[in-house]
Amino acid sequence: MIKDLFASLRLDARLLALLALCLPALAVPGALAAQDTPGARAFARDAIALFSEALPEATYTSEPGDPLQINITEHPEFDTGTFNLHRVYNLCQSISAQECDGEIANFVAELTRQPAQPTAADLRIIVRDAQYWGYVSEIDPSERPPHRQIGEDLYAILALDSPVSISLALPSMLEGFGLSQSEAWAKGLAQTEAYIPTIPVSEAESLLEGLVVLAGEEYVGTALVDLERWGKIAERVGPDLIVAVASDQLVLAGLVPQGPELSDVKALVIEDCNVAPRCISPNVYRFRDGRWVIAR
């Protein structure tokens, strides 16, 4: 079972830096700042050529001023859409050309593959940042997926799992499942919990003496959704509790006071985020007033 692959490991900052080199690579990245450089424009042109070859029915164009944002029209399944190459491009700056070609090929294959018909068994809860939610919020309000804001810039969103991708669970889909939005949320959360390693509240003090990593193949970021559990942990361990969720395969937690040590952790989380094709957030968080706030 996938759950057997999860590990809860106590790490210091030096080991965390090594772990940053081992994060799995997955597609469907969130957006980064615009990168309008000759290298980015060439990268986008090459990617568009691959997309056009894989799915010639659609039309692909780079966003003016941000060539790594690719706009799609005339897609056979929707009128218009957008995806971002920023994180794949950034990743390719630190890996070999052969590895980069493989990442791009996977990205193209996943975004052009015919999706399987989803079922209620595929419902999951994902955690994403405000930038990601900004794209989702452009959807017509009646078709936005069920969601909860769980932090200053963190959102829990109802999604659908498949062997190759994660997509949003739109209200019209839920009607086809015979579920209300609240029923779908409860089912998605229950099904996602099977993938989430946790920190027992009763053992929080001892576990969080060092940095602890919750790791798995997917959905580990959803551990942050259980605000009641984290509230109890925060009560036991105090205000120095931090968490970071640089990717959906890794959540970092520990007790880190303000000062140089926190600055070091922040730098490592940013590094993890930069090498993850799908970074959830480059921020470090504290638990305050029942939600996650950015540690400053």
Side-chain angles (χ1 to χ4, degrees):
M1 294 175 61
I2 293 177
K3 190 173 182 180
D4 295 333
L5 299 177
F6 291 157
S8 184
L9 306 174
R10 185 176 313 200
L11 302 178
D12 61 21
R14 294 183 301 276
L15 290 179
L16 180 63
L18 294 176
L19 182 66
L21 303 176
C22 304
L23 292 177
L26 295 175
V28 195
L32 286 177
Q35 294 169 274
D36 191 1
T37 65
R41 289 192 291 271
F43 188 90
R45 284 195 299 270
D46 291 344
I48 286 174
L50 293 173
F51 277 105
S52 298
E53 182 179 350
L55 192 66
E57 303 96 312
T59 299
Y60 309 88
T61 57
S62 284
E63 178 73 12
D66 188 5
L68 296 175
Q69 176 181 316
I70 309 301
N71 302 317
I72 314 172
T73 58
E74 302 176 19
H75 191 281
E77 295 180 29
F78 49 83
D79 294 331
T80 61
T82 297
F83 63 88
N84 296 281
L85 297 170
H86 302 78
R87 298 202 187 283
V88 175
Y89 175 71
N90 284 351
L91 178 64
C92 284
Q93 308 311 300
S94 59
I95 59 179
S96 69
Q98 183 176 3
E99 290 172 322
C100 178
D101 289 344
E103 290 291 336
I104 297 171
N106 288 337
F107 192 94
V108 172
E110 291 189 12
L111 288 184
T112 57
R113 185 179 283 113
Q114 187 70 20
Q117 188 67 27
T119 70
D122 299 319
L123 289 168
R124 302 288 188 271
I125 303 294
I126 60 174
V127 169
R128 296 293 185 264
D129 68 358
Q131 265 189 324
Y132 185 98
W133 179 251
Y135 289 108
V136 177
S137 64
E138 295 178 3
I139 299 173
D140 184 280
S142 65
E143 274 296 281
R144 289 175 193 163
H147 62 279
R148 311 279 191 276
Q149 186 168 2
I150 62 170
E152 183 176 349
D153 68 339
L154 291 176
Y155 292 79
I157 305 169
L158 188 63
L160 290 162
D161 182 64
S162 81
V164 297
S165 65
I166 298 171
S167 59
L168 300 178
L170 306 181
S172 57
M173 298 176 180
L174 304 181
E175 292 175 5
F177 299 158
L179 297 173
S180 68
Q181 292 195 25
S182 59
E183 289 170 337
W185 184 272
K187 186 175 184 64
L189 184 59
Q191 292 175 164
T192 313
E193 285 176 342
Y195 295 84
I196 304 173
T198 60
I199 297 172
V201 175
S202 60
E203 301 176 31
E205 292 99 331
S206 59
L207 286 174
L208 294 171
E209 288 176 357
L211 293 177
V212 173
V213 168
L214 305 178
E217 288 189 340
E218 194 61 90
Y219 301 112
V220 183
T222 307
L224 273 65
V225 172
D226 194 344
L227 298 178
E228 182 178 357
R229 169 187 286 273
W230 285 104
K232 292 177 180 178
I233 289 175
E235 287 179 3
R236 294 182 71 104
V237 302
D240 288 340
L241 174 68
I242 62 100
V243 300
V245 55
S247 79
D248 230 356
Q249 295 79 47
L250 183 150
V251 168
L252 172 70
L255 299 180
V256 182
Q258 292 294 119
E261 187 179 353
L262 180 60
S263 296
D264 290 344
V265 172
K266 288 180 178 180
L268 289 169
V269 172
I270 290 172
E271 182 180 344
D272 284 353
C273 183
N274 287 338
V275 300
R278 185 175 64 215
C279 171
I280 293 180
S281 173
N283 296 318
V284 174
Y285 297 90
R286 296 210 188 270
F287 195 84
R288 297 288 188 269
D289 299 322
R291 67 172 194 156
W292 300 109
V293 301
I294 299 171
R296 293 181 170 87

